[in-house]
Amino acid sequence: MKALLLSGGSGTRLRPITHTSAKQLVPVANKPVLFYGLEAIAGAGITQVGIIVGDTAEEIREAVGDGSAFGLDVTYIPQAAPLGLAHAVLIAREFLGDDDFVMYLGDNFIVGGITDLVDAFRAERPEAQILLTKVPNPTAFGVAELDAAGQVIGLEEKPSHPKSELALVGVYLFTPAVHEAVRSIEPSWRGELEITHAIQWLIDAGRDVRSTTISGYWKDTGNVTDMLEVNRSVLETLERRIDGTVDDSEIIGRVRIEPGAKVTGSRIVGPVVVGANTVITDSYVGPFTSISGDCRIEDSEIEYSIVLRDSSVSGVRRVEASLIGRNVEVTPAPRKPAAHRFVLGDHSKVQISS
């Protein structure tokens, strides 16, 4: 069995971070989201992985290499434009051959991995196996419709009027039967070859398509809110470890301070991870915060945030629920005379908090 890992999207919902960095490499607990997917694939006993890459191909290649660090053998498959998940299967035909495979979206996060799912698929080998989970906003996802017996009878991509609350999680398992399906469908109104259309083709052709509804934790890390929530979830499992230097500081709870980091005159309340060679001085770092390597936090407060490499926060009273990119400087704004300026219509009512 092989794996097809999709890492070619442009990450528009994470801009401006993704103007200069691949969305799959934004770190969760100081480890790129993509790496969690690679580890899940390796954990399921799969060794041959094809990675679909686009405009950020060089950055992905530099981070993942040949895959040996994960116990994998990686092949890179260029995609000229993000033309849909079924298009990714289409262009990966030579790599996939006639093997069964798991398709994993590189910006998805599933707690607990995919080993049980892969084992069940290997044993039963339906033509397709999809993962579903209940979501509050199904219009943002591919949505599945099940009959009374729980059989998949229909799929829609981001429907305006969803027929269920069951969204497709970004992990799919296929036999080679899917190759006929992706060759038989037409682009959607979005101009993409939708994997939901390919699976629907299999259903209409009477093929065996099964679903598993998961109740465990899953997130599509496509926006800042979800990135912070995944970061929180991973940090919940953090084990306390102090490998850096701590001086005249209070370290509370599950805090990991990596080698070379220095904490002076500060208070850190976990779960928090502090990257290698980061310096924290006279500051407060609150729960669910990940600070990458070579950062500097001075005379500031930060909580429930992600800070990427080589960035600094200095003299800032409070930062929270923030995603701060690489080589960023956050400092106080210059003080100006406070004033209110209005143009108010007749009979207006204004309340000002001074």
Side-chain angles (χ1 to χ4, degrees):
M1 193 167 183
K2 293 176 180 174
L4 190 62
L5 185 63
L6 275 64
S7 188
S10 56
T12 55
R13 291 177 293 159
L14 274 175
R15 289 176 178 168
I17 297 291
T18 50
H19 278 309
T20 55
S21 178
K23 65 177 180 176
Q24 298 86 1
L25 296 181
V26 176
V28 168
N30 285 5
K31 181 165 65 177
V33 172
L34 184 66
F35 287 12
Y36 291 96
L38 289 166
E39 290 170 355
I41 289 166
I46 298 169
T47 58
Q48 289 185 276
V49 181
I51 301 183
I52 301 290
V53 290
D55 292 342
T56 58
E58 288 308 310
E59 192 177 6
I60 299 294
R61 286 174 184 267
E62 184 178 349
V64 177
D66 63 2
S68 58
F70 304 91
L72 301 171
D73 179 11
V74 167
T75 299
Y76 293 96
I77 304 168
Q79 187 179 34
L83 297 175
L85 304 187
H87 180 262
V89 176
L90 196 66
I91 64 174
R93 182 69 175 91
E94 183 178 350
F95 165 76
L96 294 169
D98 292 324
D99 293 308
D100 296 349
F101 67 98
V102 56
M103 183 167 71
Y104 195 115
L105 274 59
D107 57 355
N108 275 226
F109 187 91
I110 300 175
V111 169
I114 59 172
T115 301
D116 291 345
L117 178 73
V118 170
D119 288 346
F121 181 83
R122 281 173 163 148
E124 300 177 12
R125 292 195 75 238
E127 268 83 14
Q129 179 89 27
I130 59 176
L131 264 67
L132 305 174
T133 191
K134 287 187 176 181
V135 295
N137 56 333
T139 56
F141 301 94
V143 174
E145 181 185 2
L146 308 183
D147 63 16
Q151 185 68 31
V152 184
I153 57 174
L155 298 172
E156 293 181 280
E157 186 64 34
K158 298 182 180 178
S160 55
H161 301 287
K163 295 180 180 178
S164 80
E165 301 174 305
L166 295 172
L168 276 77
V169 175
V171 176
Y172 310 80
L173 296 108
F174 297 110
T175 67
V178 74
H179 296 301
E180 183 181 0
V182 298
R183 290 194 305 269
S184 301
I185 61 174
E186 299 292 332
S188 68
W189 61 269
R190 301 192 302 166
E192 298 185 5
L193 289 176
E194 310 285 3
I195 198 66
T196 47
H197 291 179
I199 299 170
Q200 184 68 53
W201 186 93
L202 291 171
I203 294 170
D204 294 341
R207 304 297 181 89
D208 187 5
V209 176
R210 302 183 191 180
S211 68
T212 300
T213 302
I214 62 172
S215 57
Y217 189 84
W218 164 77
K219 278 288 182 183
D220 168 7
T221 61
N223 60 51
V224 173
T225 300
D226 287 341
M227 282 293 306
L228 293 173
E229 175 61 19
V230 170
N231 191 62
R232 181 202 63 78
S233 177
V234 175
L235 289 177
E236 288 278 21
T237 66
L238 192 72
E239 294 184 3
R240 181 183 174 100
R241 194 178 78 231
I242 311 296
D243 293 329
T245 302
V246 177
D247 183 34
D248 191 27
S249 298
E250 187 177 14
I251 309 297
I252 300 172
R254 299 190 305 278
V255 176
R256 188 175 77 209
I257 300 177
E258 297 180 351
K262 296 181 180 179
V263 180
T264 304
S266 298
R267 186 169 188 257
I268 301 180
V269 180
V272 167
V273 58
V274 178
N277 304 313
T278 283
V279 176
I280 299 176
T281 307
D282 299 327
S283 295
Y284 166 76
V285 180
F288 309 118
T289 302
S290 296
I291 302 173
S292 296
D294 299 298
C295 292
R296 184 165 47 88
I297 311 294
E298 296 178 335
D299 190 27
S300 298
E301 297 181 7
I302 185 168
E303 184 170 312
Y304 193 63
S305 295
I306 299 172
V307 182
L308 276 61
R309 296 189 65 86
D310 300 305
S311 291
S312 65
V313 180
S314 181
V316 180
R317 182 176 178 183
R318 184 75 173 179
V319 175
E320 64 180 31
S322 298
L323 174 57
I324 297 172
R326 298 175 297 184
N327 295 289
V328 171
E329 294 183 7
V330 181
T331 57
R335 297 191 65 84
K336 296 180 179 179
H340 303 287
R341 182 176 297 174
F342 304 105
V343 176
L344 300 174
D346 297 344
H347 311 293
S348 296
K349 293 181 180 180
V350 178
Q351 291 182 328
I352 300 173
S353 178
S354 299

